[in-house]
Amino acid sequence: MVKQRLAFLTDFVEAVTRRGRNSGDEADTLKALARPASERIAAACSVLMGRIGDAARVAVAEQALRAYAELQADEKLRFFQRLRDDYGVDADSIRQAYGAWDANPDAAAVADLFRVVEPARQTLLRRLNLAPGATPQLVAMRRDLLQAIEQDASLAAIDQDFAHLLASWFNRGFLSMRRIDWNAPAAILEQIMRYESVHRMQGWDDLKRRLAPADRRLYAFFHPATGDVPLIFVEVALTRGIPDAIAPILTAPEGEAQAQADTAVFYSINNSLAGLKGVSFGNFLIKQVVAELSAELPQLKTFVTLSPVPGFARWLAAQDDERARVLSQALQAADWQHDPDRIEALRPEVLALAARYIVVERGRGGMPADPVARFHLGNGASAHRLNWPGDMAPSAMKAAHGLMINYLYEVTQIEARHEAFVRDQTVAHGDQLADALKS
């Protein structure tokens, strides 16, 4: 069996490196490359971790990614399990390196220890990334891995390696920010429409309205490896005052509001690639957009979001105190949605429980339970004002009973609030939420 495997690996390397060269063994080449994708990717990974030349390594990496693209979902799951089991660390090497460091903790010993504690799959992923166009394919591979983790939680260890490498490859220094307008290439406009998930666009006219130069802006981060696919983009409305509902922004006719605007509203922020989940660059985008808008339109004095509160309904339904149970039942009924008096009667309770959810409730690691709150508070914003009802769309009603929130970015306070949040999990919040917490 071992001899057969070695023979297959030899044939595979020969087949890959002969591709594109004049050779009388084309039939053998095609035969080797016609093996099942699961065999080809296993062989390619073994070869990549061995000692081969740079040109051969690029060719083998390309074949590995081609084979991966042919795998079915169950085969991808087994591939990830192989990465977990066969491309980890060597315990004996770690013990030896640690012993050497413990005896003589110099720089060389630290380097040796660092080398052996890094899982072999990180080296494998770096070598896969040698193939032309490999980076987007590895981002897509991580998307598949995140889905596979739902079936096998032990694969989370592999995700740590992907996250570590992608955070390096998508470092802020490699990103470029662009303002997107109606004259942008069609490929980019199509991507914007495709990846808008907060407030779905209804067609080209809707996109054109969101790019209107008088009172709208759209900015995106791009990476050289992903071409015309924006990694993250933010949509901005220029308004007079801080809005408390999304419908007037989405349905407002185009006007000449720019000169009168004193507020920039970040009303939709979208990450495009699921495989980059957890790779943080949204904070850099917002700060750069604030700087850009401040330079272009110095009359803008206020920078806020109009954000969803996606975890509120689920959290409220899970509370076991009487006050929360009563409110959850009342909001699940439909009688309030078209009854102004009923809305006014419910508002104090909604604001009180929502303030508790945003400011007090904690999730994993002591961070705020709401994911959007974690994002903006971690960027240095404050929870400024709760708005209810702010979004009556079906998805918003299901996730948050129509609740929205403004997060306020005050330029002089961003860094201090960011540090307080990271250091002490301090949730900066405005007077409205402070008053609601007392009720």
Side-chain angles (χ1 to χ4, degrees):
M1 177 67 72
V2 173
K3 289 184 177 180
Q4 290 178 346
R5 178 170 175 78
L6 288 174
F8 173 50
L9 290 178
T10 300
D11 291 344
F12 182 81
V13 174
E14 287 296 316
V16 170
T17 55
R18 278 200 302 262
R19 296 286 286 176
R21 300 203 313 251
N22 293 326
S23 171
D25 299 318
E26 185 67 18
D28 292 339
T29 298
L30 295 175
K31 182 179 179 180
L33 296 180
R35 299 288 286 268
S38 58
E39 293 184 21
R40 283 185 281 127
I41 193 169
C45 289
S46 296
V47 170
L48 282 172
M49 295 301 288
R51 299 183 64 176
I52 58 174
D54 291 342
R57 187 168 284 162
V58 170
V60 172
E62 187 173 11
Q63 288 299 323
L65 293 177
R66 287 184 182 179
Y68 178 82
E70 298 174 21
L71 298 178
Q72 300 300 313
D74 59 331
E75 294 174 318
K76 290 179 179 179
L77 177 61
R78 289 194 291 273
F79 168 71
F80 293 132
Q81 291 168 339
R82 188 178 300 114
L83 290 184
R84 177 197 62 199
D85 298 337
D86 298 345
Y87 294 93
V89 297
D90 182 86
D92 290 337
S93 297
I94 293 176
R95 292 189 189 97
Q96 293 173 11
Y98 177 79
W101 172 84
D102 195 37
N104 183 25
D106 58 14
V110 171
D112 286 341
L113 182 58
F114 183 82
R115 175 178 54 81
V116 297
V117 298
E118 180 181 270
R121 54 185 165 262
Q122 287 196 22
T123 298
L124 176 60
L125 292 174
R126 292 189 190 98
R127 293 179 180 179
L128 286 172
N129 199 42
L130 294 172
T135 304
Q137 296 178 68
L138 291 173
V139 171
M141 186 184 291
R142 190 197 179 215
R143 177 200 60 207
D144 297 339
L145 172 61
L146 293 174
Q147 295 173 350
I149 289 173
E150 297 177 3
Q151 301 180 56
D152 186 347
S154 69
L155 297 177
I158 304 174
D159 186 49
Q160 294 177 9
D161 298 306
F162 271 89
H164 170 74
L165 292 173
L166 291 174
S168 298
W169 298 344
F170 287 86
N171 181 281
R172 171 64 186 92
F174 298 121
L175 306 181
S176 62
M177 190 184 82
R178 304 183 213 166
R179 177 181 169 185
I180 308 302
D181 59 24
W182 188 242
N183 296 315
I188 294 179
L189 298 180
E190 289 171 356
Q191 297 290 342
I192 295 295
M193 290 188 66
R194 176 182 177 186
Y195 290 116
E196 164 57 77
S197 60
V198 181
H199 303 294
R200 293 285 186 183
M201 297 184 193
Q202 304 305 312
W204 288 104
D205 288 342
D206 197 356
L207 173 61
K208 188 173 184 179
R209 174 65 188 97
R210 298 194 196 190
L211 300 176
D215 59 351
R216 296 291 186 267
R217 297 291 187 274
L218 193 151
Y219 299 90
F221 266 157
F222 292 84
H223 188 281
T226 57
D228 283 339
V229 178
L231 305 183
I232 185 172
F233 59 93
V234 58
E235 298 169 55
V236 184
L238 306 178
T239 66
R240 185 80 177 170
I242 300 176
D244 59 5
I246 191 62
I249 289 178
L250 299 180
T251 61
E254 184 175 353
E256 297 296 330
Q258 180 171 299
Q260 291 76 38
D262 59 9
T263 303
V265 184
F266 307 106
Y267 66 93
S268 183
I269 302 173
N270 297 271
N271 290 290
S272 303
L273 303 179
L276 291 178
K277 180 181 179 180
V279 179
S280 178
F281 30 64
N283 55 337
F284 296 112
L285 177 61
I286 289 178
K287 291 174 184 177
Q288 191 166 341
V289 169
V290 169
E292 185 101 354
L293 287 171
S294 297
E296 178 193 353
L297 302 170
Q299 78 271 21
L300 295 177
K301 303 303 180 185
T302 305
F303 299 89
V304 297
T305 75
L306 183 56
S307 299
V309 190
F312 178 62
R314 183 174 61 253
W315 172 82
L316 187 65
Q319 301 309 296
D320 57 7
D321 61 282
E322 183 66 16
R323 186 180 190 184
R325 282 200 300 270
V326 170
L327 180 60
S328 180
Q329 292 172 2
L331 293 178
Q332 290 178 53
D335 61 341
W336 64 268
Q337 297 177 22
H338 304 288
D339 184 343
D341 293 335
R342 182 66 172 151
I343 289 174
E344 290 306 312
L346 288 172
R347 190 188 308 279
E349 286 296 281
V350 173
L351 296 184
L353 272 296
R356 189 171 103 191
Y357 173 62
I358 294 294
V359 179
V360 179
E361 190 66 21
R362 291 294 190 268
R364 187 181 305 172
M367 291 295 180
D370 188 76
V372 177
R374 290 195 298 271
F375 176 79
H376 289 294
L377 294 169
N379 289 347
S382 66
H384 179 65
R385 187 180 72 191
L386 295 162
N387 303 299
W388 185 82
D391 187 354
M392 302 292 279
S395 59
M397 294 297 293
K398 180 179 179 181
H401 298 304
L403 180 70
M404 299 194 80
I405 183 172
N406 303 118
Y407 292 99
L408 177 64
Y409 283 85
E410 295 177 276
V411 177
T412 60
Q413 298 294 319
I414 287 176
E415 295 303 327
R417 286 174 176 164
H418 166 75
E419 290 297 328
F421 181 81
V422 172
R423 185 178 59 251
D424 304 316
Q425 289 81 52
T426 300
V427 176
H429 55 281
D431 292 342
Q432 185 222 40
L433 279 85
D435 292 341
L437 286 170
K438 299 173 186 177
S439 61

